[in-house]
Amino acid sequence: MRRLHLAVTRRLDGLLNGEHLGLLPGPGTELAEARLYQPGEDDVRHMDWAVTARTTNPHVRDLIADHELETWALVDLTPSMDFGTADRTKRDLAAAALAAVGFLTVRLGDRVGAYLQHPAGLRRRPARTGRPALHTLLHDVLTAPTDPPPGRGPGHAAAGLAAALTALDRGQKRRGLRVVISDFLPGPHDDPAAPTWERPLRRLAARHQVLAVEIIDPRELDLPDIGVIDMTDPETGRVHEIVLSRRVRERYATAAAQQRAHIRAALRRAGAHHLTLRTDRDWVADIARFALRQRRAAGRSIAAPGVRA
């Protein structure tokens, strides 16, 4: 908990300073200062015509984000998230992403709640403010059991990602930020080009700002040249002996690239902001670059030395 808090407060918080200028700068309700209109970046609906007429230069007026907001996260804790061959497991990275969102939220008095998708089903954690409540939530993410309860075989899922998204959408009506943290891997019977979670994610994005955090391990993209290997599917428990020849590795890399392309396309169609984190990269720098790109797209000032967007 301390390491996550220090990583966010010392590195990420220093890069993303400013009240309510977090990972996804969004509109609020209170008017702020007027500034020059930036073609191609600013929304013309925010044009301040009075200032524009007085100065003869087009101006827009920023909006101050509302306070006392609620941020809700959906965290995938199914067995595939315990995979990791680099610096950390995907579950560790999911907790880091939740910590980044959480610490930047609770410092302003806003509340953070979560839906945790366990192998045994969906667990809801109420939205609370303050660092102790966030520490408890992160502890639950890091220590949640991955094995299904007695009587349920490997691969049994009481609620898939699509059902979990539907539960989040129906359970939390107040508008705000929704963060979905998952590897978004399709099920054995899913169509990769049309994942089952796309439609409920689109419904969620119609009412809220949605940030989809995709967690990736490098071994999910390509395989090493190590000959014969036994591979276990963490979701089903099935074991396969595979010879990792050059042809097999090339076919695997091609299929993995296509799968990730399908995921990116589905997230884009759903209207979600897409952040990719890898277990072999500096997640703090990746989050900072993402946030700076979002600020630039929103036409906000950028003051974060040392990080290139």
Side-chain angles (χ1 to χ4, degrees):
M1 296 302 117
R2 289 195 205 95
R3 286 196 298 269
L4 282 176
H5 182 254
L6 290 176
V8 173
T9 55
R10 289 186 178 180
R11 296 182 60 193
L12 190 57
D13 193 18
L15 297 172
L16 305 179
N17 47 17
E19 286 198 359
H20 284 274
L21 299 182
L23 302 182
L24 290 179
T29 56
E30 299 181 23
L31 295 177
E33 296 180 352
R35 57 175 176 77
L36 285 172
Y37 169 74
Q38 300 295 325
E41 294 185 356
D42 291 325
D43 191 337
V44 295
R45 293 175 297 180
H46 298 161
M47 193 75 71
D48 190 320
W49 297 110
V51 177
T52 298
R54 187 168 61 250
T55 63
T56 70
N57 292 315
H59 279 69
V60 294
R61 188 170 292 276
D62 284 332
L63 296 173
I64 301 175
D66 298 322
H67 288 250
E68 294 297 325
L69 301 178
E70 285 188 1
T71 293
W72 282 89
L74 170 58
V75 186
D76 184 354
L77 297 177
T78 54
S80 65
M81 293 293 290
D82 281 321
F83 182 72
T85 62
D87 300 330
R88 56 189 65 87
T89 66
K90 293 195 292 182
R91 181 200 287 245
D92 294 335
L93 198 52
L98 181 59
V101 174
F103 285 124
L104 293 176
T105 298
V106 299
R107 67 170 184 160
L108 298 171
D110 295 341
R111 297 177 291 275
V112 179
Y115 284 70
L116 307 182
Q117 186 187 1
H118 296 280
L122 200 60
R123 298 291 183 269
R124 178 183 175 276
R125 298 294 183 268
R128 295 173 179 171
T129 188
R131 194 182 303 170
L134 180 59
H135 285 175
T136 301
L137 177 58
L138 293 174
H139 182 268
D140 291 343
V141 170
L142 291 170
T143 60
T146 58
D147 295 330
R152 297 184 179 180
H156 180 92
L161 185 58
L165 286 167
T166 300
L168 174 60
D169 185 31
R170 292 177 177 174
Q172 307 303 325
K173 296 296 185 181
R174 184 177 180 181
R175 293 179 183 271
L177 175 62
R178 302 294 181 261
V179 184
V180 184
I181 306 173
S182 175
D183 51 17
F184 294 97
L185 293 178
H189 305 294
D190 288 345
D191 180 2
T196 56
W197 47 260
E198 180 181 345
R199 181 174 296 179
L201 184 63
R202 185 184 297 115
R203 288 196 299 265
L204 187 69
R207 290 181 50 85
H208 310 280
Q209 271 193 312
V210 176
L211 172 60
V213 183
E214 181 186 9
I215 309 295
I216 299 177
D217 186 86
R219 289 285 77 85
E220 294 174 328
L221 303 178
D222 59 75
L223 296 173
D225 184 10
I226 56 176
V228 180
I229 186 174
D230 289 337
M231 288 190 172
T232 303
D233 184 344
E235 299 285 353
T236 64
R238 295 178 180 175
V239 180
H240 299 274
E241 183 181 275
I242 300 176
V243 179
L244 298 182
S245 64
R246 184 178 67 178
R247 181 182 178 184
V248 169
R249 289 186 286 111
E250 289 175 351
R251 291 177 59 189
Y252 178 89
T254 300
Q258 292 176 348
Q259 180 187 74
R260 294 299 168 181
H262 288 318
I263 292 173
R264 288 193 301 271
L267 293 174
R268 183 171 58 251
R269 290 193 301 266
H273 298 268
H274 183 198
L275 167 62
T276 300
L277 299 180
R278 292 175 50 127
T279 59
D280 60 342
R281 290 175 55 94
D282 185 347
W283 62 271
V284 177
D286 286 342
I287 291 178
R289 292 189 189 98
F290 169 83
L292 294 178
R293 286 196 300 268
Q294 296 299 318
R295 284 197 193 182
R296 178 174 295 170
R300 295 195 172 174
S301 60
I302 299 175
V307 173
R308 296 179 181 178

